């Protein structure tokens, strides 16, 4: 899960020893960090951007990563994977998301919609 890697990067950047230190910085109960790590809860976009900025991770990478974590739909997860690949090909930092191999077939309309929306942000 990407959010776990984001938490670990932040923890390392701040030289923290315990997750409760991260929780204090985010203004969250300490149990929330373990919920993030286990996948019971997902961090907000604002939290992900804060953590990414504090440890010099591209915020686009962080947002793509946490959105990929959140989705349970394999077709949507494949779209996020495609976005991550596109970011990587444009020279962004390497993703440590660990996407599983997902078949890109079978999500025709989602792919068309995603391509239309993404060509505004990432022209082909």
């Amino acid at each position: 899960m990407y959010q776990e890697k984001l938490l670990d990067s932040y923890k390392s950047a701040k030289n923290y020893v315990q997750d409760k230190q991260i929780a204090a910085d985010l203004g969250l109960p300490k149990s929330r960090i373990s919920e993030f790590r286990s996948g019971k809860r997902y961090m907000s976009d604002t939290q992900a951007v804060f953590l990414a900025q504090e440890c010099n991770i591209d915020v686009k990478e962080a947002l793509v990563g946490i959105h990929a974590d959140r989705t349970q739909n394999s077709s949507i997860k494949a779209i996020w994977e495609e976005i991550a690949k596109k970011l990587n090909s444009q020279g962004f930092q390497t993703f440590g998301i660990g996407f599983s191999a997902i078949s890109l077939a079978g999500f025709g309309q989602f792919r068309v919609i995603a391509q239309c929306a993404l060509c505004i942000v990432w022209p082909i």
Side-chain angles (χ1 to χ4, degrees):
M1 280 187 355
Y2 185 81
Q3 65 183 7
E4 186 171 7
K5 293 176 188 258
L6 189 57
L7 290 166
D8 289 339
S9 295
Y10 181 78
K11 191 174 182 179
S12 176
K14 294 292 187 176
N15 294 317
Y16 285 165
V17 178
Q18 297 180 326
D19 283 348
K20 70 181 183 180
Q21 295 168 294
I22 301 170
D25 289 355
L26 292 172
L28 300 172
K30 59 185 175 184
S31 62
R32 185 69 42 88
I33 302 303
S34 63
E35 292 172 337
F36 288 159
R37 289 187 181 281
S38 69
K40 287 183 180 178
R41 285 186 168 247
Y42 298 100
M43 64 180 64
S44 70
D45 292 350
T46 304
Q47 292 163 338
V49 167
F50 170 78
L51 295 174
Q53 288 174 332
E54 292 295 312
C55 53
N56 296 319
I57 293 174
D58 187 272
V59 293
K60 293 175 192 89
E61 175 185 336
L63 290 174
V64 169
I66 65 163
H67 281 271
D69 280 353
R70 287 181 195 159
T71 187
Q72 300 300 312
N73 181 307
S74 62
S75 297
I76 303 299
K77 194 174 279 284
I79 293 170
W80 283 117
E81 180 183 35
E82 202 169 307
I83 294 168
K85 287 178 183 176
K86 192 155 214 160
L87 284 173
N88 279 334
S89 71
Q90 292 181 359
F92 286 90
Q93 295 176 354
T94 305
F95 282 82
I97 297 173
F99 287 113
S100 59
I102 300 171
S103 170
L104 296 180
F107 66 93
Q109 288 184 339
F110 289 118
R111 185 179 181 128
V112 172
I113 292 168
Q115 286 176 341
C116 291
L118 291 175
C119 44
I120 294 169
V121 180
W122 294 291
I124 296 176

